[in-house]
Amino acid sequence: MIINVPTAIGLNETAQKLHFRAWNGLMDIFSASPGRTLEEDDWTEERAEYLDSAQEELQAILAIVQQSNELALKARIASVSPYLLLLNSGISFSTKRGDIDFSNLRTLDAVDLPKAVNSICAETLSQKYIQQYNDLRIQRNQFAHLGNTTAYLSPDAMLSDLVDQYLELWPNGVWLKDRVHCAYAGRGTYFDDKNWSPRRSVMANFVDDCQAMTTGQFKSLFGIAKSALKFCCHVCRNDWAIERWGPSPRNSPLTKSGPSDSERVLKDEIGCSDGDEA
């Protein structure tokens, strides 16, 4: 029999972990960028030198992004049947009795995954995403096989791609809630005590996330204008609020029929009440 058969849930969770690991890597680069917090943009030369020195790290992040995409597409295929991942694998059978380890079998090549998803799955991929995926795959292959890529990588462009990929791969997801879940499933849980948790860590860095996103990217993920979010209230930062709802009103019925004030929509979405005890 075939053992260690992957599940769609397991593949998807790993894909999201890698997605947000790549996001965190980009945030580290953004946060250390020269002159990032200054109003006057007179750091052009320093910023260019900084990005030159960050290319190797950006290439490593690019490889993580591609791996995340591949696993997310495999998760979609596995949701129909994990054995479809073995199409064109050329399995050699034997008359001898013994288990076959799925992890030792060749699965669909990365280049074939978008075609397989659009042929097998009910929810298809957009042509924009497929083109983006193919460009990313080529750059990743250059880095994996040659130790470098011919493309000059831009953190801004990579961040934009990550937003597009999240919306394409997890259209029903809640971005911040997914990010908190992935953080809590990582090694940070080793340090989880009454004074610190991955959830609090994510919220502490949320201001940097907002600064790095454009207004369009922010609205795509959260469904409200970036300018409408004036602050993160102390109640919203507490673990119970994020664990309960996840502070994203993108798919909330409140954004369709609720109050017009965007800040109140955001607070209502996560079950926030200024008078409640955390």
Side-chain angles (χ1 to χ4, degrees), residues 115-274:
K115 292 179 288 186
V117 168
N118 280 4
S119 298
I120 295 170
C121 304
E123 191 172 5
T124 59
L125 303 168
S126 67
Q127 288 303 310
K128 177 184 177 182
Y129 171 80
I130 293 175
Q131 182 60 54
Q132 186 184 74
Y133 173 89
N134 287 330
D135 292 341
L136 178 63
R137 181 180 58 82
I138 291 172
Q139 293 176 6
R140 190 282 307 269
N141 286 346
Q142 291 176 346
F143 175 69
H145 299 298
L146 301 175
N148 204 340
T149 175
T150 56
Y152 187 85
L153 300 178
S154 162
D156 295 289
M158 292 177 67
L159 187 74
S160 177
D161 288 346
L162 278 178
V163 172
D164 290 343
Q165 289 159 15
Y166 180 86
L167 295 171
E168 180 83 27
L169 296 173
W170 301 287
N172 298 319
V174 180
W175 185 86
L176 194 52
K177 188 173 184 179
D178 285 341
R179 189 176 179 203
V180 168
H181 172 75
C182 289
Y184 203 78
R187 64 181 175 84
T189 55
Y190 177 81
F191 304 101
D192 191 12
D193 58 23
K194 65 178 182 180
N195 298 316
W196 187 89
S197 75
R199 279 168 276 187
R200 291 176 186 264
S201 177
V202 168
M203 286 304 296
N205 294 320
F206 186 56
V207 173
D208 288 336
D209 294 334
C210 294
Q211 290 178 346
M213 294 184 208
T214 66
T215 54
Q217 292 163 359
F218 187 92
K219 190 165 186 178
S220 294
L221 288 175
F222 295 98
I224 60 174
K226 185 178 179 180
S227 59
L229 186 62
K230 305 301 182 183
F231 60 91
C232 291
C233 84
H234 67 285
V235 181
C236 301
R237 287 178 179 269
N238 282 327
D239 287 355
W240 72 271
I242 304 171
E243 184 176 27
R244 183 180 175 189
W245 296 111
S248 171
R250 182 158 65 90
N251 297 316
S252 171
L254 291 171
T255 60
K256 301 176 182 178
S257 59
S260 57
D261 179 53
S262 297
E263 290 185 50
R264 185 173 166 225
V265 170
L266 186 62
K267 293 177 68 175
D268 287 347
E269 170 65 16
I270 65 170
C272 173
S273 175
D274 289 337

